[in-house]
Amino acid sequence: LPIFRSVRGTRKIYTIAHCMGSVALASGMLDGTIPVDWIKGLSCSQVFMNPQWARINMAKVMMPFDLTRAYRMLGGNWFSCSSSEDDTLVQRSIDQLLRFYPVEPREMCNNVACHRTSFVFGRCWNHANLNVATHAQTHRFFGGVNMSLEHLLMSMGEHGHVTTNFPLAQKLTTPTNLRRLKGLPIFLFSGADNHVLQPASTLTTYETLRNMFGGEDYERVVIEGYGHLDCWMGTRAERDVFPIIAERVERVCRGKGGRELVV
């Protein structure tokens, strides 16, 4: 946002944020690091300030040992979403184990990068929504994740709200912080088949904001047939998803209110 403002001057910016980018944005706005008056409106994809992990991700969080600590001991502090011929024995062993990582019975996938991405983030799409070329380039879309960040995100998703960094990890969704968002139009949407974050992630935020400020500035949409990232990368996203977002952007720029919808 500071970079955009350096180019555009003091004009407010309509912001579209996805997944952990949206979580980071929420954290910065709630703690005051990012001034809300920089922003004209928000479209938040899959989550904003109330991350709630989907079932398989929550199962990882609830394991009797800390997965991030275990991986750090064996593979270091960085988990890559791709593989190479130079991988260590540990990384090659992980690739083999991930052949058995749970997927939907109707989906078949032999893509190592897709397996690694699904393991560390959750299954990011309904495979039926991706064409062959997009799926084959999975290794180009994701770099990886730092275990310190992963540990923080796992904690946020377990407790259902954004927090400060460890070791304090203080809740940021306090009434005082929430008041910073008053008057900001926010559009939230989730894929109904999201296996990274529950659609309840956007519902909780939607209900919290409406209960605190009324319903004038808030909308929420659940998009049937889509998961997490296929809302942006799916073969039919241009037809099924993009117009929904574009209409809200235009509406906010014209100064109109909102409601909850299911598409």
PDB file of all heavy atoms in Angstrom, residues 179-202:
ATOM      1  N   ARG A 179     -13.053  -1.063  15.892  1.00  0.00           N
ATOM      2  CA  ARG A 179     -13.621   0.258  15.606  1.00  0.00           C
ATOM      3  C   ARG A 179     -12.835   0.997  14.524  1.00  0.00           C
ATOM      4  O   ARG A 179     -13.354   1.915  13.889  1.00  0.00           O
ATOM      5  CB  ARG A 179     -13.707   1.089  16.890  1.00  0.00           C
ATOM      6  CG  ARG A 179     -14.933   0.754  17.735  1.00  0.00           C
ATOM      7  CD  ARG A 179     -15.154   1.774  18.831  1.00  0.00           C
ATOM      8  NE  ARG A 179     -14.259   1.552  19.956  1.00  0.00           N
ATOM      9  CZ  ARG A 179     -14.519   0.722  20.969  1.00  0.00           C
ATOM     10  NH1 ARG A 179     -15.665   0.036  20.986  1.00  0.00           N
ATOM     11  NH2 ARG A 179     -13.676   0.594  21.957  1.00  0.00           N
ATOM     12  N   ARG A 180     -11.597   0.583  14.303  1.00  0.00           N
ATOM     13  CA  ARG A 180     -10.812   1.181  13.217  1.00  0.00           C
ATOM     14  C   ARG A 180     -11.437   0.896  11.845  1.00  0.00           C
ATOM     15  O   ARG A 180     -11.195   1.621  10.889  1.00  0.00           O
ATOM     16  CB  ARG A 180      -9.382   0.647  13.239  1.00  0.00           C
ATOM     17  CG  ARG A 180      -8.545   1.107  14.416  1.00  0.00           C
ATOM     18  CD  ARG A 180      -7.084   0.736  14.206  1.00  0.00           C
ATOM     19  NE  ARG A 180      -6.217   1.386  15.182  1.00  0.00           N
ATOM     20  CZ  ARG A 180      -5.678   0.779  16.234  1.00  0.00           C
ATOM     21  NH1 ARG A 180      -5.911  -0.518  16.439  1.00  0.00           N
ATOM     22  NH2 ARG A 180      -4.910   1.450  17.070  1.00  0.00           N
ATOM     23  N   LEU A 181     -12.206  -0.186  11.742  1.00  0.00           N
ATOM     24  CA  LEU A 181     -12.786  -0.603  10.462  1.00  0.00           C
ATOM     25  C   LEU A 181     -14.134   0.056  10.178  1.00  0.00           C
ATOM     26  O   LEU A 181     -14.701  -0.145   9.094  1.00  0.00           O
ATOM     27  CB  LEU A 181     -12.962  -2.125  10.444  1.00  0.00           C
ATOM     28  CG  LEU A 181     -11.716  -2.971  10.702  1.00  0.00           C
ATOM     29  CD1 LEU A 181     -12.076  -4.454  10.689  1.00  0.00           C
ATOM     30  CD2 LEU A 181     -10.625  -2.680   9.686  1.00  0.00           C
ATOM     31  N   LYS A 182     -14.656   0.791  11.114  1.00  0.00           N
ATOM     32  CA  LYS A 182     -15.994   1.361  10.956  1.00  0.00           C
ATOM     33  C   LYS A 182     -16.082   2.220   9.695  1.00  0.00           C
ATOM     34  O   LYS A 182     -15.224   3.060   9.435  1.00  0.00           O
ATOM     35  CB  LYS A 182     -16.352   2.198  12.174  1.00  0.00           C
ATOM     36  CG  LYS A 182     -17.783   2.730  12.135  1.00  0.00           C
ATOM     37  CD  LYS A 182     -18.132   3.478  13.413  1.00  0.00           C
ATOM     38  CE  LYS A 182     -19.575   3.975  13.352  1.00  0.00           C
ATOM     39  NZ  LYS A 182     -19.948   4.707  14.601  1.00  0.00           N
ATOM     40  N   GLY A 183     -17.113   1.974   8.916  1.00  0.00           N
ATOM     41  CA  GLY A 183     -17.362   2.758   7.713  1.00  0.00           C
ATOM     42  C   GLY A 183     -16.640   2.277   6.475  1.00  0.00           C
ATOM     43  O   GLY A 183     -16.844   2.830   5.387  1.00  0.00           O
ATOM     44  N   LEU A 184     -15.801   1.243   6.608  1.00  0.00           N
ATOM     45  CA  LEU A 184     -15.067   0.716   5.452  1.00  0.00           C
ATOM     46  C   LEU A 184     -15.881  -0.382   4.774  1.00  0.00           C
ATOM     47  O   LEU A 184     -16.175  -1.407   5.397  1.00  0.00           O
ATOM     48  CB  LEU A 184     -13.717   0.150   5.904  1.00  0.00           C
ATOM     49  CG  LEU A 184     -12.855  -0.464   4.804  1.00  0.00           C
ATOM     50  CD1 LEU A 184     -12.360   0.611   3.845  1.00  0.00           C
ATOM     51  CD2 LEU A 184     -11.668  -1.219   5.417  1.00  0.00           C
ATOM     52  N   PRO A 185     -16.251  -0.236   3.503  1.00  0.00           N
ATOM     53  CA  PRO A 185     -16.993  -1.295   2.809  1.00  0.00           C
ATOM     54  C   PRO A 185     -16.124  -2.537   2.623  1.00  0.00           C
ATOM     55  O   PRO A 185     -15.003  -2.449   2.106  1.00  0.00           O
ATOM     56  CB  PRO A 185     -17.338  -0.664   1.457  1.00  0.00           C
ATOM     57  CG  PRO A 185     -17.186   0.806   1.665  1.00  0.00           C
ATOM     58  CD  PRO A 185     -16.097   0.969   2.666  1.00  0.00           C
ATOM     59  N   ILE A 186     -16.637  -3.681   3.068  1.00  0.00           N
ATOM     60  CA  ILE A 186     -15.876  -4.927   2.984  1.00  0.00           C
ATOM     61  C   ILE A 186     -16.749  -6.003   2.335  1.00  0.00           C
ATOM     62  O   ILE A 186     -17.859  -6.287   2.799  1.00  0.00           O
ATOM     63  CB  ILE A 186     -15.417  -5.399   4.380  1.00  0.00           C
ATOM     64  CG1 ILE A 186     -14.483  -4.349   5.008  1.00  0.00           C
ATOM     65  CG2 ILE A 186     -14.707  -6.742   4.287  1.00  0.00           C
ATOM     66  CD1 ILE A 186     -14.025  -4.693   6.423  1.00  0.00           C
ATOM     67  N   PHE A 187     -16.230  -6.584   1.281  1.00  0.00           N
ATOM     68  CA  PHE A 187     -16.877  -7.702   0.597  1.00  0.00           C
ATOM     69  C   PHE A 187     -16.066  -8.960   0.860  1.00  0.00           C
ATOM     70  O   PHE A 187     -14.863  -8.999   0.628  1.00  0.00           O
ATOM     71  CB  PHE A 187     -16.964  -7.425  -0.904  1.00  0.00           C
ATOM     72  CG  PHE A 187     -17.368  -8.615  -1.722  1.00  0.00           C
ATOM     73  CD1 PHE A 187     -18.527  -9.321  -1.431  1.00  0.00           C
ATOM     74  CD2 PHE A 187     -16.595  -9.028  -2.798  1.00  0.00           C
ATOM     75  CE1 PHE A 187     -18.903 -10.417  -2.183  1.00  0.00           C
ATOM     76  CE2 PHE A 187     -16.963 -10.129  -3.560  1.00  0.00           C
ATOM     77  CZ  PHE A 187     -18.127 -10.823  -3.246  1.00  0.00           C
ATOM     78  N   LEU A 188     -16.730  -9.994   1.375  1.00  0.00           N
ATOM     79  CA  LEU A 188     -16.077 -11.250   1.720  1.00  0.00           C
ATOM     80  C   LEU A 188     -16.642 -12.362   0.856  1.00  0.00           C
ATOM     81  O   LEU A 188     -17.853 -12.426   0.637  1.00  0.00           O
ATOM     82  CB  LEU A 188     -16.338 -11.584   3.196  1.00  0.00           C
ATOM     83  CG  LEU A 188     -15.945 -10.514   4.213  1.00  0.00           C
ATOM     84  CD1 LEU A 188     -16.963 -10.442   5.337  1.00  0.00           C
ATOM     85  CD2 LEU A 188     -14.570 -10.802   4.791  1.00  0.00           C
ATOM     86  N   PHE A 189     -15.763 -13.239   0.361  1.00  0.00           N
ATOM     87  CA  PHE A 189     -16.293 -14.391  -0.372  1.00  0.00           C
ATOM     88  C   PHE A 189     -15.450 -15.629  -0.107  1.00  0.00           C
ATOM     89  O   PHE A 189     -14.257 -15.558   0.151  1.00  0.00           O
ATOM     90  CB  PHE A 189     -16.417 -14.106  -1.867  1.00  0.00           C
ATOM     91  CG  PHE A 189     -15.111 -14.011  -2.614  1.00  0.00           C
ATOM     92  CD1 PHE A 189     -14.598 -15.102  -3.285  1.00  0.00           C
ATOM     93  CD2 PHE A 189     -14.421 -12.806  -2.674  1.00  0.00           C
ATOM     94  CE1 PHE A 189     -13.406 -15.017  -3.990  1.00  0.00           C
ATOM     95  CE2 PHE A 189     -13.226 -12.701  -3.382  1.00  0.00           C
ATOM     96  CZ  PHE A 189     -12.723 -13.813  -4.048  1.00  0.00           C
ATOM     97  N   SER A 190     -16.132 -16.767  -0.147  1.00  0.00           N
ATOM     98  CA  SER A 190     -15.500 -18.069   0.073  1.00  0.00           C
ATOM     99  C   SER A 190     -15.955 -19.043  -0.989  1.00  0.00           C
ATOM    100  O   SER A 190     -17.096 -18.975  -1.464  1.00  0.00           O
ATOM    101  CB  SER A 190     -15.893 -18.643   1.446  1.00  0.00           C
ATOM    102  OG  SER A 190     -15.349 -17.915   2.508  1.00  0.00           O
ATOM    103  N   GLY A 191     -15.053 -19.976  -1.350  1.00  0.00           N
ATOM    104  CA  GLY A 191     -15.472 -21.119  -2.142  1.00  0.00           C
ATOM    105  C   GLY A 191     -16.165 -22.123  -1.240  1.00  0.00           C
ATOM    106  O   GLY A 191     -15.677 -22.428  -0.144  1.00  0.00           O
ATOM    107  N   ALA A 192     -17.296 -22.632  -1.675  1.00  0.00           N
ATOM    108  CA  ALA A 192     -18.054 -23.559  -0.835  1.00  0.00           C
ATOM    109  C   ALA A 192     -17.272 -24.830  -0.539  1.00  0.00           C
ATOM    110  O   ALA A 192     -17.484 -25.471   0.498  1.00  0.00           O
ATOM    111  CB  ALA A 192     -19.385 -23.905  -1.509  1.00  0.00           C
ATOM    112  N   ASP A 193     -16.363 -25.213  -1.442  1.00  0.00           N
ATOM    113  CA  ASP A 193     -15.594 -26.452  -1.276  1.00  0.00           C
ATOM    114  C   ASP A 193     -14.174 -26.181  -0.783  1.00  0.00           C
ATOM    115  O   ASP A 193     -13.263 -26.967  -1.046  1.00  0.00           O
ATOM    116  CB  ASP A 193     -15.524 -27.200  -2.617  1.00  0.00           C
ATOM    117  CG  ASP A 193     -16.902 -27.579  -3.127  1.00  0.00           C
ATOM    118  OD1 ASP A 193     -17.819 -27.754  -2.313  1.00  0.00           O
ATOM    119  OD2 ASP A 193     -17.055 -27.691  -4.362  1.00  0.00           O
ATOM    120  N   ASN A 194     -13.975 -25.092  -0.074  1.00  0.00           N
ATOM    121  CA  ASN A 194     -12.644 -24.724   0.392  1.00  0.00           C
ATOM    122  C   ASN A 194     -12.114 -25.763   1.386  1.00  0.00           C
ATOM    123  O   ASN A 194     -12.744 -26.031   2.410  1.00  0.00           O
ATOM    124  CB  ASN A 194     -12.698 -23.348   1.059  1.00  0.00           C
ATOM    125  CG  ASN A 194     -11.332 -22.732   1.234  1.00  0.00           C
ATOM    126  OD1 ASN A 194     -10.346 -23.412   1.473  1.00  0.00           O
ATOM    127  ND2 ASN A 194     -11.275 -21.410   1.115  1.00  0.00           N
ATOM    128  N   HIS A 195     -10.947 -26.347   1.086  1.00  0.00           N
ATOM    129  CA  HIS A 195     -10.315 -27.312   1.983  1.00  0.00           C
ATOM    130  C   HIS A 195      -9.053 -26.746   2.631  1.00  0.00           C
ATOM    131  O   HIS A 195      -8.250 -27.497   3.189  1.00  0.00           O
ATOM    132  CB  HIS A 195      -9.981 -28.595   1.220  1.00  0.00           C
ATOM    133  CG  HIS A 195     -11.189 -29.398   0.867  1.00  0.00           C
ATOM    134  ND1 HIS A 195     -11.738 -30.337   1.712  1.00  0.00           N
ATOM    135  CD2 HIS A 195     -11.981 -29.380  -0.231  1.00  0.00           C
ATOM    136  CE1 HIS A 195     -12.796 -30.881   1.145  1.00  0.00           C
ATOM    137  NE2 HIS A 195     -12.973 -30.313  -0.040  1.00  0.00           N
ATOM    138  N   VAL A 196      -8.892 -25.436   2.549  1.00  0.00           N
ATOM    139  CA  VAL A 196      -7.828 -24.747   3.266  1.00  0.00           C
ATOM    140  C   VAL A 196      -8.418 -24.060   4.487  1.00  0.00           C
ATOM    141  O   VAL A 196      -8.019 -24.301   5.626  1.00  0.00           O
ATOM    142  CB  VAL A 196      -7.109 -23.724   2.367  1.00  0.00           C
ATOM    143  CG1 VAL A 196      -6.039 -22.960   3.160  1.00  0.00           C
ATOM    144  CG2 VAL A 196      -6.485 -24.409   1.162  1.00  0.00           C
ATOM    145  N   LEU A 197      -9.393 -23.202   4.254  1.00  0.00           N
ATOM    146  CA  LEU A 197     -10.085 -22.467   5.307  1.00  0.00           C
ATOM    147  C   LEU A 197     -11.583 -22.719   5.189  1.00  0.00           C
ATOM    148  O   LEU A 197     -12.146 -22.724   4.097  1.00  0.00           O
ATOM    149  CB  LEU A 197      -9.818 -20.975   5.170  1.00  0.00           C
ATOM    150  CG  LEU A 197      -8.381 -20.523   5.426  1.00  0.00           C
ATOM    151  CD1 LEU A 197      -8.028 -19.338   4.535  1.00  0.00           C
ATOM    152  CD2 LEU A 197      -8.180 -20.168   6.891  1.00  0.00           C
ATOM    153  N   GLN A 198     -12.228 -22.942   6.301  1.00  0.00           N
ATOM    154  CA  GLN A 198     -13.675 -23.131   6.281  1.00  0.00           C
ATOM    155  C   GLN A 198     -14.376 -21.870   5.772  1.00  0.00           C
ATOM    156  O   GLN A 198     -13.944 -20.749   6.073  1.00  0.00           O
ATOM    157  CB  GLN A 198     -14.192 -23.409   7.687  1.00  0.00           C
ATOM    158  CG  GLN A 198     -13.685 -24.642   8.358  1.00  0.00           C
ATOM    159  CD  GLN A 198     -14.272 -24.787   9.740  1.00  0.00           C
ATOM    160  OE1 GLN A 198     -15.476 -24.664   9.940  1.00  0.00           O
ATOM    161  NE2 GLN A 198     -13.411 -25.043  10.713  1.00  0.00           N
ATOM    162  N   PRO A 199     -15.463 -22.009   5.011  1.00  0.00           N
ATOM    163  CA  PRO A 199     -16.259 -20.832   4.666  1.00  0.00           C
ATOM    164  C   PRO A 199     -16.728 -20.049   5.884  1.00  0.00           C
ATOM    165  O   PRO A 199     -17.014 -18.851   5.786  1.00  0.00           O
ATOM    166  CB  PRO A 199     -17.440 -21.435   3.890  1.00  0.00           C
ATOM    167  CG  PRO A 199     -16.869 -22.675   3.267  1.00  0.00           C
ATOM    168  CD  PRO A 199     -15.929 -23.225   4.304  1.00  0.00           C
ATOM    169  N   ALA A 200     -16.758 -20.715   7.052  1.00  0.00           N
ATOM    170  CA  ALA A 200     -17.097 -20.009   8.291  1.00  0.00           C
ATOM    171  C   ALA A 200     -16.113 -18.891   8.609  1.00  0.00           C
ATOM    172  O   ALA A 200     -16.428 -17.988   9.387  1.00  0.00           O
ATOM    173  CB  ALA A 200     -17.153 -20.998   9.455  1.00  0.00           C
ATOM    174  N   SER A 201     -14.922 -18.935   7.998  1.00  0.00           N
ATOM    175  CA  SER A 201     -13.944 -17.865   8.215  1.00  0.00           C
ATOM    176  C   SER A 201     -14.510 -16.509   7.806  1.00  0.00           C
ATOM    177  O   SER A 201     -14.341 -15.511   8.516  1.00  0.00           O
ATOM    178  CB  SER A 201     -12.659 -18.153   7.429  1.00  0.00           C
ATOM    179  OG  SER A 201     -12.067 -19.358   7.842  1.00  0.00           O
ATOM    180  N   THR A 202     -15.159 -16.459   6.653  1.00  0.00           N
ATOM    181  CA  THR A 202     -15.752 -15.197   6.214  1.00  0.00           C
ATOM    182  C   THR A 202     -17.080 -14.933   6.915  1.00  0.00           C
ATOM    183  O   THR A 202     -17.433 -13.784   7.160  1.00  0.00           O
ATOM    184  CB  THR A 202     -15.958 -15.180   4.693  1.00  0.00           C
ATOM    185  OG1 THR A 202     -16.707 -16.334   4.292  1.00  0.00           O
ATOM    186  CG2 THR A 202     -14.619 -15.172   3.967  1.00  0.00           C
TER     187      THR A 202
END
